[in-house]
DNA sequence: GAGTGGTCTAGACCACCAA
DNA sequence: TGGTGGTCTAGACCACTCA
């Protein structure tokens, strides 16, 4: 259908289909964990060939927005399932052992964004935000001091209880409590020296080297929805990164 | 053609084609930067449809083994071109400015692998290796202390001159001098305190936090060919990581 | 205009899964 | 057995590049 021939900004059909499917996801037509219509159904719906729908879904699948299961169907990705619950956590033990994750609440306060956060989250500097601080514990040892900021508008009602219920994965909580699904994140890593407050939380001397991870998470349409600063003790752990 | 019907280990045709193309790359039939035969040509050669060849090449392209250029052809990826010369360098200035990279040679010695390196590079502990140390300078300021180890067998003749000629990118030098093309790398990051020797090289006090990047690089067929430990001053720089 | 990659189609058949 | 994703084909046509 309408192919926009000769247009200066040519856009392939499968890409347009991808946008349509994404809009249905944003609109909540298919909820996380649910199956979306089969390829042939979608092909009929959008009046294109199955191959074109397929290519659109391929793209969504490589972005982890959707998950294909042969013989079963295609499902809306979710952070709820155990295996991908910690999808964005790249920190692993030097030994490679699997670890028990625990979540210690520190604080939850409300304030104004300010210039820096406003720019990152694409909101006004005067907009309300919610700040959460917590301590993540691996196998009983505190390893990450997290400082999390989200826009209050989209996370009305976020409080201590909800953070504690999340049992480590904020993202699955965002999903079930606020309908916000994170799709992608960007991280900036540095080595820093531990400040007094964080050093105390983690049980370290001031000046101890920590891995600083500043993360911005995005929901559908590349909309930034969370800022986060994690300070990690990496004496017995490392951050994995794959380069291609 | 021969489709291996009912075989217990079913392998799609395009995957087999991909292996055949990869073998031609390893064998040196098409050299880095060169164009490989067109899709129709390859289709005739392997007696499959163009679509099948296309899917094989798609896969190689997403792995950055090959680069497609519409209207021109498909080319063997290379580290020589300026835009991808520093493909594996994730460190950028806080300001986002582009920086001039410089390469200061420290040492180049020959020794035995030892247990740790042997396991990583999949060679014998008694095998010869070449160790290179250098200092990378960004816009005149020393920022990375690199310790690089490669198996001597594949890099016979690697010396001070070759390192200095490389002008920062070892990988393009490996390619032109030794025919070794790196395709993929894994990195493990930690925050560490600067030791005396490195602190002096970088002009820091002992104990200053540094980002430690341990990297293993792989050539075709996931064969590890280089181990590297970079110690980076990240006071004004950060390491970028994308999570999907 | 000739050659290359890129899109789109329509249809056949295969592998996997659940009932 | 029927439905789903996955593969493969053959052919048409489009967009891009370069001589």
């Amino acid at each position: 259908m309408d192919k926009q021939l000769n247009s200066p900004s040519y856009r392939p059909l499968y890409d347009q289909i991808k946008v349509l499917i994404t809009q249905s996801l944003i609109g909540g037509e298919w909820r996380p964990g649910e199956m979306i219509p089969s390829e042939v159904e979608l092909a009929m719906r959008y009046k294109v060939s199955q191959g074109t729908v397929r290519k659109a879904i391929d793209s969504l699948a490589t972005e982890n927005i959707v998950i294909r299961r042969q013989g079963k169907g295609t499902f809306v990705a979710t952070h709820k399932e155990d295996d991908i619950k910690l999808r964005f956590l790249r920190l692993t033990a030097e030994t490679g052992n699997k670890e028990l994750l625990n979540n210690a609440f520190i604080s939850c306060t409300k304030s104004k964004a300010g210039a820096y956060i406003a720019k990152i989250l694409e909101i006004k500097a005067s907009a309300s935000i919610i700040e959460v601080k917590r301590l993540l514990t691996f196998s009983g040892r505190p390893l990450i001091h997290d400082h999390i900021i989200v826009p209050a508008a989209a996370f009305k009602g976020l409080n201590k209880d909800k953070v504690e219920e999340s049992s480590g994965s904020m993202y699955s909580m965002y999903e079930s409590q606020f309908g916000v699904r994170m799709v992608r994140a960007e991280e900036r890593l540095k080595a820093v020296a531990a400040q007094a407050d964080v050093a105390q939380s983690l049980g370290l001397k001031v000046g101890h080297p920590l891995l600083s991870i500043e993360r911005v998470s995005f929901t559908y349409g590349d909309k930034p929805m969370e800022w986060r600063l994690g300070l990690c003790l990496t004496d017995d752990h490392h951050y994995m990164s794959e380069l291609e």
Side-chain angles (χ1 to χ4, degrees), chain A:
Chain A
M1 11 197 335
D2 76 293
K3 297 199 188 177
Q4 294 199 33
L5 300 168
N6 311 338
S7 88
S9 63
Y10 165 75
R11 202 145 189 221
L13 192 46
Y14 67 82
D15 220 283
Q16 301 173 41
I17 302 298
K18 184 184 166 185
V19 170
L20 292 176
I21 295 175
T22 305
Q23 280 168 351
S24 287
L25 287 168
I26 295 173
E29 182 173 344
W30 314 304
R31 305 208 59 81
E34 279 181 20
M35 182 177 146
I36 71 173
S38 76
E39 294 178 355
V40 275
E41 265 180 279
L42 289 171
M44 289 189 307
R45 169 162 166 180
Y46 299 125
K47 299 214 179 71
V48 297
S49 80
Q50 183 187 345
T52 301
V53 168
R54 185 168 180 74
K55 197 155 185 194
I57 294 178
D58 274 345
S59 173
L60 292 169
T62 55
E63 292 173 32
N64 292 314
I65 290 174
V66 114
I67 297 175
R68 324 186 74 135
R69 295 197 206 281
Q70 180 168 154
K72 289 185 177 174
T74 302
F75 299 81
V76 183
T78 170
H79 285 262
K80 280 174 203 158
E81 288 155 40
D82 269 2
D83 47 332
I84 52 170
K85 203 168 185 173
L86 303 169
R87 209 175 93 188
F88 291 163
L89 186 64
R90 288 284 182 280
L91 214 65
T92 55
E94 220 66 82
T95 58
N97 292 342
K98 214 175 174 182
E99 297 186 289
L100 203 60
L101 201 62
N102 234 306
N103 194 14
F105 177 85
I106 297 175
S107 69
C108 179
T109 60
K110 207 166 172 176
S111 60
K112 300 290 173 200
Y116 182 70
I117 294 297
K119 193 176 176 190
I120 289 173
L121 295 184
E122 294 174 8
I123 55 180
K124 288 181 186 163
S126 61
S128 286
I129 55 163
I130 298 174
E131 293 190 62
V132 173
K133 294 190 182 181
R134 63 166 183 176
L135 208 59
L136 280 182
T137 301
F138 287 58
S139 305
R141 197 164 151 203
L143 284 187
I144 307 180
H145 180 279
D146 260 337
H147 181 186
I148 301 170
I149 295 182
V150 293
F155 293 88
K156 222 174 275 291
L158 177 59
N159 57 23
K160 176 178 175 175
D161 289 344
K162 289 202 165 60
V163 174
E164 288 188 327
E165 281 165 26
S166 76
S167 72
S169 171
M170 297 287 282
Y171 295 118
S172 57
M173 187 265 287
Y174 292 159
E175 212 174 273
S176 51
Q177 300 289 316
F178 304 99
V180 176
R181 279 159 279 173
M182 299 303 186
V183 158
R184 190 176 78 76
E186 288 179 4
E187 295 192 327
R188 297 174 173 218
L189 285 71
K190 317 184 59 152
V192 300
Q195 312 271 62
D197 57 339
V198 174
Q200 193 179 10
S201 295
L202 294 172
L204 304 169
K205 285 184 186 162
V206 171
H208 194 98
L210 293 177
L211 183 62
S212 156
I213 307 181
E214 185 179 11
R215 178 196 291 173
V216 182
S217 301
F218 300 83
T219 185
Y220 296 129
D222 262 339
K223 190 165 158 44
M225 290 297 280
E226 185 205 55
W227 174 90
R228 183 184 288 211
L229 182 68
L231 293 167
C232 314
L233 176 60
T234 53
D235 289 6
D236 301 311
H237 290 71
H238 58 256
Y239 179 102
M240 277 293 295
S241 176
E242 307 253 339
L243 309 183
E244 290 188 344

